[in-house]
């Protein structure tokens, strides 16, 4: 891992009014931790959605309309992961957009940086493979 791995990364932070107390307690710490890891403050994009169920469209809009490397859903992990349909949607978006998504508080900073580093390393070392199918 480099000394300041997040120096070239851009992060989306998705908050919901539904968890305002959690957001108030964790957002400053998350931003501090991301900047400690090297992220420039202007590369932390914070967006708010009305409810937990709007998180899916928020993630998709981050993927489609921005150049963030990953998204942190700033919400109590157990409250989000406890909703199967929501989690299925989040996992689907992660796979569809090849987007790292973390759920929780300030501890997500280290997690998302490590996962983006892992993703970048895998992409850099990927070999181009020919298709194994024979269409003749």
């Amino acid at each position: 891992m480099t000394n300041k791995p997040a120096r070239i990364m851009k992060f989306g932070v998705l908050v919901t009014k539904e968890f305002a107390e959690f957001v108030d307690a964790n957002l400053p710490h998350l931003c501090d931790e991301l900047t400690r890891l090297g992220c420039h403050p202007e590369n932390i994009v914070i967006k708010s959605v009305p409810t937990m169920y709007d998180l899916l469209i928020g993630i998709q809009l981050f993927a489609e309309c921005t150049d963030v490397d990953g998204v942190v859903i700033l919400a109590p992990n157990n409250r989000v992961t406890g909703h199967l349909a929501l989690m299925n949607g989040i996992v689907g978006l992660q796979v569809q957009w090849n987007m790292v998504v973390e759920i929780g508080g300030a501890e997500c900073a280290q997690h998302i940086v490590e996962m983006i580093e892992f993703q970048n390393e895998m992409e850099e070392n990927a070999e181009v493979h020919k298709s194994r199918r024979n269409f003749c």
Side-chain angles (χ1 to χ4, degrees), residues 25 27 29 36-37 39 42 46 64 77 86 109 111 113 116 118 123:
L27 184 58
H29 301 298
R36 186 189 70 75
L37 293 167
C39 183
E42 63 271 12
I46 303 165
E64 287 181 358
N77 188 294
L86 181 58
H111 298 166
V113 169
I116 292 169
F118 175 73
E123 288 174 357

Side-chain angles (χ1 to χ4, degrees), residues 33-53:
E33 188 62 16
L34 287 170
T35 55
R36 186 189 70 75
L37 293 167
C39 183
H40 299 284
E42 63 271 12
N43 288 338
I44 303 170
V45 181
I46 303 165
K47 296 293 181 184
S48 178
V49 295
T51 71
M52 178 171 55
Y53 298 101

Side-chain angles (χ1 to χ4, degrees), residues 12-123:
V13 178
L14 196 53
V15 301
T16 175
K17 297 171 188 170
E18 196 170 334
F19 301 125
E21 189 174 308
F22 184 89
V23 171
D24 290 344
N26 286 275
L27 184 58
H29 301 298
L30 174 65
C31 293
D32 288 347
E33 188 62 16
L34 287 170
T35 55
R36 186 189 70 75
L37 293 167
C39 183
H40 299 284
E42 63 271 12
N43 288 338
I44 303 170
V45 181
I46 303 165
K47 296 293 181 184
S48 178
V49 295
T51 71
M52 178 171 55
Y53 298 101
D54 299 310
L55 292 170
L56 286 177
I57 192 68
I59 296 167
Q60 184 162 349
L61 289 170
F62 264 122
E64 287 181 358
C65 303
T66 73
D67 60 348
V68 300
D69 297 295
V71 175
V72 174
I73 297 174
L74 193 61
N77 188 294
N78 63 331
R79 296 282 304 274
V80 176
T81 59
H83 291 274
L84 184 58
L86 181 58
M87 284 307 301
N88 284 339
I90 292 170
V91 169
L93 287 171
Q94 285 181 292
V95 172
Q96 176 185 356
W97 289 97
N98 202 22
M99 173 81 66
V100 177
V101 177
E102 293 287 339
I103 304 165
E107 75 282 358
C108 288
Q110 184 68 41
H111 298 166
I112 199 164
V113 169
E114 289 176 10
M115 284 305 300
I116 292 169
E117 277 191 305
F118 175 73
Q119 179 182 29
N120 291 342
E121 180 184 309
M122 294 297 287
E123 288 174 357

